[in-house]
Structures are given as C-alpha cells and as structure tokens.
Amino acid sequence: MIHDGETGQDIAQALADQDVVKSFDAFYDLLRKESPAPVFQPGAYQLSTKMSGRAALDRLLDPASHLNQTVLITEGTVAVDVLQLLSEGTDIPLAELQTAAADVASFGLPAEAKTLEGFLFPDTYSFPPGLSAHDALQKLVDSQFQALDRAGVAPERRWSTIVLAALIQKEAGPNDFFKVSRVFHNRTDPAQWDSGRMQSDATVAYGTGKTHVVTTTDAERADASNPYNTYIHPGLPVGPISNPGRVAIDAALHPADGPWLYFVTWNQETRETIFSTTADEHEAAVVKWQAWMKENPEYG
C-alpha cells in the first residue's frame, strides 16, 4: 500500500521491509536520481519479492500495477487507520466511512463494543465499485467473525477473546505471541499476580491517542482518568487496542506453558523480547532496553 502523503523515504522503507527490494538504499538512491521526481498514487500495488530497484520503481509507476478497489490491512492496524486505508484504496470518501463506523450497533458486534476496534479483520480485500461505506466495513467485520468461528470461539466469548488478542498483537512480535499471552494469563491469576493489573504500556498509549507507539511517560502511567490505563485499572483493558489477526487470536486461546510474569521487548527493530519470572530479572531486562533506546532515540 502507498498511503496518501507518504514520501519517497516511506515507500523505500516499505519496499525493503516487505523484501521487494534488497535494501532501503537500493530503492531510495535510484529514486533521488529520477528527473522529474516520480509521483506516486495512493493505493495497493502488485509487486514481487526480490526485485531490483529499477524494476520496482517501474512497476509502481505502471498504471496496470495499481490494484483498483484493493486494500491491504496489516495485523495490528488500529481502526482510525483502517478507515484511512479503505478511503485511499477505494472510491469511498473518508467522511462516509467515519459516519458508517460511528453506527456501531448496526454491525452485529458484542454488546460491550463502543467502536469497531478489534473487529476489522486484517487481510487483503477487493471491493466492487460503488460499494457503500457500511457494506465495506461489514465485510471486514464478517471476516473477523469468521476468523473467530474457525478458531472455535463461541459468540459469547468473542469480546474477551478479541480484547486479549488485540493486546497481544500490539505488545508482541509474531514469534512471541504465545509467550506474551501466557504472561497476561498469569497476571489474571491472583495466586501469581495479586494486583490484577496488566501493566501494559500499549494500552496506556492507546488511551492517550498515541496509537503508533507503545512507550509512555510516568505521568501517563499515573493518569487514572485514562480508562485504558492498565497500570491503574485491574483486568484486561476496557476494549481492544488494535485489530488482531489469526495468530494473535490463536495465542489468546492457547498460551504457551510457562511461569513468566514479565516481558520487555528490548530491541524495537528485531522485536527481541526477554521474558522473566522475578522482578529482579525484569529490572535487568529493562536496563538493557533503556540502553538500547538511548542509542536509538528515534524509537522513543
């Protein structure tokens, strides 16, 4: 997906991250030499992996590669960004999507749902021209219901499963979903974690509106007015904080076996995570994370 307002650097990074080109430099250096500067249209494009920078650029500038009415939604995307993606990839105005999304009761969600968050299934979608905003969103909701059904989740458990899966999706790298799930399951056990507080920075950040980061300040973690503040309020967050995919749902239902009560993703690039059972072990892991963050302030 190319998003409205993205720069050449953004596009180069996306291509490198998805293994379309060998590296950021392989594409961006070529892009800087182009005259006149290429103009990219927002939307979805069909490319291959392991392309040369030249081939990737030619493909992005070829109208035949632009997939009309196609939208790619990745796991962990939050609802406000899903609406933007739908608008960029289709002929549906953003304002119509926002209006449709506000009518939460019309989508058949669990009674606890106050927004569509958590129930917009991440996938690649192709929409027929002229589809209404409500019907486009309903397609995503129905896909999430189907994913829950395939996972064996009864309708009465949809809400609790999605809330936990959305938290796992936001807090963990894909390789650690099942271990992170175990940490949160263990924290719901009073015999292991008597406070009952999940203490998730991702939930706090979501409640402040900072949906693209998981770091928080001392003041934010102490703010009891934030209903998503799981440092203050016990139990799972009051609602989903992302739109989870199949693996996160599976992890929520089938946590790994283990005694872990803490985890910290100390390397934000590789998503390497340290799991700990004691507070002392966790403190040592936090020190390692803080050192990495000091050397990589752009992730703060």
Side-chain angles (χ1 to χ4, degrees):
M1 288 288 293
I2 292 179
H3 310 301
D4 191 25
E6 281 193 326
T7 65
Q9 289 178 309
D10 297 324
I11 295 169
Q13 191 62 60
L15 294 176
D17 289 346
Q18 297 180 53
D19 200 29
V20 173
V21 296
K22 185 175 182 180
S23 68
F24 170 91
D25 292 338
F27 186 81
Y28 189 58
D29 288 348
L30 172 67
L31 197 58
R32 292 176 62 188
K33 296 174 184 176
E34 290 291 295
S35 181
V39 176
F40 300 102
Q41 298 300 316
Y45 291 80
Q46 181 71 53
L47 288 88
S48 305
T49 57
K50 296 180 171 55
M51 300 179 75
S52 69
R54 180 77 260 170
L57 179 57
D58 289 345
R59 189 75 68 83
L60 288 175
L61 296 176
D62 182 356
S65 299
H66 190 183
L67 303 176
N68 292 323
Q69 302 294 119
T70 298
V71 178
L72 169 65
I73 298 167
T74 57
E75 291 84 353
T77 304
V78 296
V80 64
D81 292 335
V82 172
L83 301 187
Q84 184 68 43
L85 290 170
L86 287 172
S87 177
E88 291 172 356
T90 70
D91 54 10
I92 306 172
L94 178 59
E96 291 184 13
L97 288 161
Q98 292 169 335
T99 298
D103 186 12
V104 178
S106 67
F107 290 94
L109 298 186
E112 298 92 335
K114 301 296 187 291
T115 71
L116 301 186
E117 195 74 84
F119 292 91
L120 301 173
F121 185 70
D123 203 349
T124 300
Y125 295 91
S126 293
F127 300 96
L131 192 69
S132 72
H134 183 278
D135 287 350
L137 292 169
Q138 188 69 62
K139 185 172 182 178
L140 274 63
V141 171
D142 290 344
S143 294
Q144 188 64 285
F145 287 166
Q146 291 165 11
L148 290 165
D149 290 344
R150 284 193 293 268
V153 178
E156 63 269 19
R157 293 188 59 208
R158 283 175 174 172
W159 178 254
S160 60
T161 300
I162 284 293
V163 170
L164 178 55
L167 175 57
I168 294 166
Q169 185 79 63
K170 204 69 174 178
E171 280 279 18
N175 293 333
D176 293 315
F177 280 175
F178 295 86
K179 293 176 74 173
V180 166
S181 177
R182 171 50 61 191
V183 170
F184 289 126
H185 276 275
N186 286 347
R187 288 185 179 185
T188 64
D189 179 3
Q192 300 183 68
W193 191 260
D194 58 7
S195 75
R197 294 190 290 270
M198 298 298 103
Q199 296 184 346
S200 162
D201 286 83
T203 66
V204 177
Y206 182 87
T208 66
K210 299 175 183 177
T211 56
H212 297 125
V213 300
V214 296
T215 54
T216 57
T217 66
D218 290 342
E220 288 169 343
R221 291 189 297 275
D223 181 9
S225 69
N226 179 351
Y228 287 87
N229 188 347
T230 53
Y231 280 86
I232 299 293
H233 307 296
L236 289 171
V238 295
I241 63 169
S242 74
N243 288 285
R246 291 186 181 91
V247 179
I249 291 171
D250 189 27
L253 298 170
H254 305 105
D257 292 330
W260 314 290
L261 291 167
Y262 307 90
F263 68 92
V264 59
T265 303
W266 71 271
N267 186 317
Q268 300 299 310
E269 286 186 347
T270 64
R271 302 296 291 170
E272 292 176 81
T273 301
I274 299 172
F275 291 84
S276 306
T277 303
T278 69
D280 288 343
E281 292 171 347
H282 179 60
E283 285 302 317
V286 169
V287 170
K288 187 172 183 177
W289 167 70
Q290 290 172 334
W292 190 91
M293 290 295 289
K294 186 175 182 180
E295 295 176 0
N296 301 271
E298 67 273 19
Y299 286 88

